[in-house]
């Protein structure tokens, strides 16, 4: 009765969100590894451009495009990590908490390095950190993982849920 | 000061459901296990359960296991949720 009555004044009542990232409950670490691999791919493309015999103009355009994309992919990797780390991860004990924090922090550092410069090892570090994060994420869901090689360049190993 | 707030979202289900109302008041000493309205940096005004408080730092969680959790400063705790007004009646939180 009271609930129904309050409904009449709904538009004047302040709200508090019982927040879930929408769609509720859909968190998946594969998006982190996806962006990490994509950032590494952009590094490889950039490093190969000088051997392609492009005109100065074409070279400059390609560098600009792939550099922008490299930074976008690295930032996406960091962003998706922040969402999972901040909104999903609920480590069961202190040891889990430390591992989870270290893995997320490693992604932040490697992601920034990928954005700042053009070293393949930074991209490799980002993928490795994303894989470590994925292992912890899937373990927290009680899902086994497997390591597979991406069937596309840069053909690197990624941690996947063994569904 | 007493307030009336409408709940949106499902992270506190089944205790609080989307569309429920809560009666709030300004908390004196926030305690773990109670429910609070929090001014969150990213999500705006949210309602959560305080899972721990240690000095100026506090952590919150959800009833729904898929809901969010996180850390805040004690100053972000704005009001204690005291009563829930639901279609099925009133219950104390």
């Amino acid at each position: 009765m009271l609930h129904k009555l309050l409904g009449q004044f709904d538009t004047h009542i302040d709200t508090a969100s019982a927040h879930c990232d929408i769609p509720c409950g859909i968190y998946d670490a594969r998006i982190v590894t996806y962006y990490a691999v994509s950032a590494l791919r952009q590094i490889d493309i950039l490093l190969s451009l000088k051997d392609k015999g492009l005109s100065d103009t074409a070279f400059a355009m390609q560098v600009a495009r792939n550099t922008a994309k490299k930074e976008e992919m690295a930032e996406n990797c960091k962003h998706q990590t922040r969402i999972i780390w901040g909104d999903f991860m609920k480590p069961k004990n202190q040891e889990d908490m430390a591992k989870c924090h270290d893995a997320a922090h490693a992604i932040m550092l490697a992601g920034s390095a990928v954005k700042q410069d053009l070293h393949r090892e930074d991209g490799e570090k980002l993928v490795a950190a994303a894989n470590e994060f994925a292992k912890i994420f899937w373990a927290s869901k009680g899902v086994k993982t497997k390591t597979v090689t991406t069937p596309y360049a840069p053909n690197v190993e990624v941690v996947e849920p063994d569904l | 000061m007493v307030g009336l707030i409408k709940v949106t979202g499902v992270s506190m289900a089944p205790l609080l459901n989307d569309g429920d109302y809560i009666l709030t008041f300004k908390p004196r000493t926030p305690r773990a296990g109670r429910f609070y309205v929090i001014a969150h940096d990213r999500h705006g005004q949210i309602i959560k359960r305080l899972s721990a408080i240690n000095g100026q730092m506090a952590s919150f969680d959800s009833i729904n296991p898929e809901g969010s959790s996180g850390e805040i400063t004690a100053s972000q705790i704005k009001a204690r949720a005291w009563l829930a007004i639901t279609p099925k009646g009133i219950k104390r939180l």
Side-chain angles (χ1 to χ4, degrees):
Chain A
M1 174 92 88
L2 182 57
H3 183 272
K4 204 169 180 178
L5 185 67
L6 289 171
Q8 306 290 319
F9 305 97
D10 222 31
T11 52
H12 301 290
I13 297 174
D14 200 7
T15 61
S17 169
H19 164 79
C20 280
D21 271 355
I22 296 170
C24 181
I26 299 181
Y27 296 98
D28 194 321
R30 282 177 289 192
I31 198 165
V32 174
T33 48
Y34 167 83
Y35 283 125
V37 170
S38 188
L40 177 60
R41 177 64 181 145
Q42 292 304 321
I43 291 172
D44 284 349
I45 291 171
L46 282 161
L47 290 173
S48 70
L49 286 180
K50 64 179 186 302
D51 301 325
K52 290 201 167 175
L54 299 170
S55 69
D56 288 350
T57 305
F59 181 79
M61 286 174 62
Q62 280 301 124
V63 167
R65 289 189 68 201
N66 291 105
T67 300
K69 191 56 78 175
K70 168 175 72 78
E71 296 194 13
E72 182 188 333
M73 295 297 103
E75 183 52 41
N76 285 349
C77 182
K78 291 174 67 178
H79 177 68
Q80 295 298 334
T81 302
R82 287 187 204 106
I83 290 174
I84 293 175
W85 164 239
D87 295 351
F88 169 77
M89 287 295 198
K90 299 177 180 68
K92 294 182 184 71
N93 58 48
Q94 288 299 316
E95 191 184 348
D96 284 349
M97 181 66 118
K99 281 183 190 170
C100 198
H101 173 80
D102 288 349
H105 191 231
I107 290 172
M108 297 303 133
L109 293 176
S112 294
V114 165
K115 288 170 71 179
Q116 287 160 6
D117 221 317
L118 188 62
H119 302 300
R120 193 175 201 277
E121 54 268 34
D122 290 334
E124 290 169 348
K125 278 183 193 170
L126 183 60
V127 174
N131 281 338
E132 187 57 31
F133 188 74
K135 276 184 200 167
I136 296 166
F137 171 84
W138 291 113
S140 76
K141 280 182 170 279
V143 175
K144 287 183 182 174
T145 54
K146 59 184 178 183
T147 301
V148 298
T149 302
T150 59
Y152 42 77
N155 304 105
V156 286
E157 289 190 337
V158 291
V159 171
E160 294 271 318
D162 192 5
L163 302 174
Chain B
M1 193 170 68
V2 176
L4 181 65
I5 288 175
K6 184 180 182 182
V7 176
T8 62
V10 295
S11 75
M12 301 307 283
L15 183 72
L16 291 170
N17 290 298
D18 187 55
D20 286 350
Y21 298 94
I22 50 171
L23 212 55
T24 66
F25 63 87
K26 201 165 175 61
R28 285 183 201 153
T29 309
R31 288 187 192 166
R34 289 180 176 171
F35 300 87
Y36 293 92
V37 175
I38 295 164
H40 193 275
D41 294 337
R42 193 150 61 91
H43 303 308
Q45 185 161 276
I46 59 175
I47 173 154
K48 291 290 168 184
R49 176 175 57 191
L50 214 60
S51 52
I53 183 158
N54 184 7
Q56 280 307 299
M57 292 304 294
S59 57
F60 64 82
D61 63 11
S62 303
I63 301 284
N64 180 341
E66 299 290 2
S68 61
S69 59
E71 291 189 346
I72 51 168
T73 60
S75 64
Q76 289 174 275
I77 299 169
K78 297 302 176 192
R80 181 183 162 195
W82 176 47
L83 287 178
I85 303 163
T86 77
K88 290 180 181 173
I90 297 173
K91 59 186 171 187
R92 190 170 177 178
L93 298 172

